[in-house]
Amino acid sequence: KVRQKAWERCKGVCEQPGCTIKLRPGGFDYDHIIPDGLGGGATLENCAVLCTVHHGVKTHTIDRPFMQKADNMKKAHLGLKPKGRGFPKPPKGYNAWTRRIEQ
């Protein structure tokens, strides 16, 4: 029902501001304005009908990085994310050449 009402609201045109592309079968997607993973519900107010180009841009440049950051913050808060990455840095002035000389 939500998708049907969203389609009636958009009148066959992409709802991205400034976009006037007429939507054709297979050339559009229903999008959560606030992603489902961030608490957005399946309501008409949170549904937008976008052309595939704008839906892809929004998903890959806005939604995914924002959701990844939220997941990382949640993991860090719960102590599930490792503190550091990779190997620790060697002391200042120490490199592979001096290590070979010392051996």
Side-chain angles (χ1 to χ4, degrees):
K1 290 183 180 182
V2 172
R3 288 182 178 187
Q4 182 179 358
K5 289 180 182 179
W7 178 256
E8 292 169 0
R9 179 186 66 204
C10 80
K11 297 178 184 173
V13 178
C14 178
E15 291 186 315
Q16 178 71 24
C19 183
T20 58
I21 293 177
K22 290 185 180 182
L23 303 174
R24 299 177 185 197
F28 67 92
D29 293 304
Y30 295 98
D31 179 58
H32 284 92
I33 297 168
I34 299 172
D36 203 19
L38 296 175
T43 62
L44 182 60
E45 295 78 26
N46 194 38
C47 182
V49 184
L50 302 176
C51 62
T52 53
V53 173
H54 283 121
H55 182 252
V57 169
K58 180 182 178 289
T59 299
H60 296 295
T61 60
I62 298 171
D63 293 348
R64 283 190 180 171
F66 193 65
M67 288 173 52
Q68 183 65 47
K69 184 174 182 178
D71 287 344
N72 290 344
M73 290 172 65
K74 183 178 179 181
K75 286 179 184 178
H77 178 71
L78 297 173
L80 301 174
K81 188 175 178 184
K83 300 279 186 217
R85 293 181 175 210
F87 296 103
K89 291 185 178 180
K92 189 173 182 176
Y94 187 83
N95 59 36
W97 182 252
T98 57
R99 190 181 79 212
R100 287 185 193 147
I101 292 172
E102 292 171 359
Q103 292 178 351

